[in-house]
Amino acid sequence: MIEFKNVSKTYPNGTKGLKNINLKIEKGEFIVIVGLSGAGKSTFLRSINRLHEITEGEIVVDGKSITAARGGELLKMRRDIGMIFQNFNLVKRSSVLRNVLSGRVAYHGTLRMLLGMFPKEDKDLAFQALNRVNMLEKAYSRADELSGGQQQRVSIARVLAQKAKLILADEPVASLDPLTTEQVMNDLKHINEQDGITTIVNLHYIDLARKYATRIIGLRAGEVVFDGPVEEATDERFADIYGRQLEKMN
Ligand SMILES: Nc1ncnc2c1ncn2[C@@H]1O[C@H](COP(=O)(O)OP(=O)(O)OP(=O)(O)O)[C@@H](O)[C@H]1O
Ligand SMILES: [Mg+2]
């Protein structure tokens, strides 16, 4: 579903974010990217939907080069890619429902959305999405009245309403407590398993990575230093790669 071909990213100030990455990700995988701060996890994830532009190589998504895509074609490719952020990126003063409906914007254009003209099918989709993350009863609450974990579940509902085929989550649980962390990770995992949505998550915690991933990719200074199934991602292996610096949960 995703292929990195000789991908490098050099920031304008000369920092190398990614160095010659070559890998393939199959449909339905649940991938966790781990690495120390500054390893290139966010750069990797954001390269896929072109929130960051790569400087060498090519990224192919669903058989098409997103690197080469322009204009309407790029927008259409992005419509299939849902993004989840550490800080939730909700419109705080809007209702939960409006936030989830904003996942439909790419299908209709902004004007209709500004006027609040959502077709009934979209509202049905939004309610279904909220139901799946157990947030139905909060549909008419303001987003900023919710806890962090609830806000993150709303942002998951937003990518569900978007009907994304690929979910990219950049440290989705970094600002949540351990219990809420498990709820949010479980939601992501269920959606991945039930809908077959390819999911790529950046995490700091190696234990959490092992618990949820089907495959772990380890980055260090912009390079892939580990790529394999969870069974191979042992403490010993990671201590070799990172020293004992990768965070454990307890
Ligand atoms: N806009 C930028 N301009 C210059 N350098 C940048 C920029 N963004 C990131 N970098 C550098 O690129 C490298 C990779 O950064 P990135 O944000 O991808 O790391 P990360 O693994 O996500 O780290 P963290 O765990 O702290 O989020 C780092 O050396 C960082 O300083
Ligand atoms: Mg990051």
Side-chain angles (χ1 to χ4, degrees), residues 21-141:
I21 309 265
N22 285 285
L23 53 84
K24 275 188 195 163
I25 292 169
E26 305 296 337
K27 183 173 162 26
E29 284 193 272
F30 194 108
I31 301 219
V32 173
I33 314 278
V34 296
L36 303 174
S37 185
K41 302 181 296 296
S42 296
T43 309
F44 180 93
L45 212 65
R46 286 157 196 245
S47 295
I48 297 174
N49 61 357
R50 283 184 52 193
L51 281 182
H52 284 331
E53 297 289 349
I54 58 174
T55 46
E56 274 172 67
E58 183 177 39
I59 299 175
V60 178
V61 180
D62 238 352
K64 285 188 217 115
S65 171
I66 194 157
T67 311
R70 296 285 174 269
E73 195 189 354
L74 177 61
L75 290 179
K76 215 165 158 197
M77 289 184 82
R78 278 186 170 151
R79 199 160 81 178
D80 290 336
I81 307 175
M83 185 97 192
I84 292 172
F85 300 88
Q86 176 180 345
N87 63 0
F88 327 122
N89 267 28
L90 300 180
V91 181
K92 290 190 169 36
R93 297 164 63 89
S94 284
S95 71
V96 163
L97 183 63
R98 280 296 279 257
N99 272 283
V100 176
L101 279 165
S102 75
R104 305 299 303 159
V105 159
Y107 292 89
H108 306 300
T110 323
L111 181 61
R112 241 178 125 170
M113 298 293 111
L114 282 175
L115 297 172
M117 293 160 58
F118 302 101
K120 179 172 182 305
E121 303 83 72
D122 282 11
K123 287 191 184 142
D124 292 345
L125 263 178
F127 283 120
Q128 282 166 24
L130 281 169
N131 193 28
R132 285 191 71 183
V133 295
N134 277 316
M135 290 293 296
L136 205 47
E137 69 274 30
K138 297 283 187 191
Y140 297 102
S141 301

Side-chain angles (χ1 to χ4, degrees), residues 177-190:
D177 63 61
L179 182 68
T180 317
T181 289
E182 297 277 328
Q183 286 170 346
V184 166
M185 289 303 296
N186 283 334
D187 279 339
L188 287 172
K189 186 75 177 172
H190 290 152

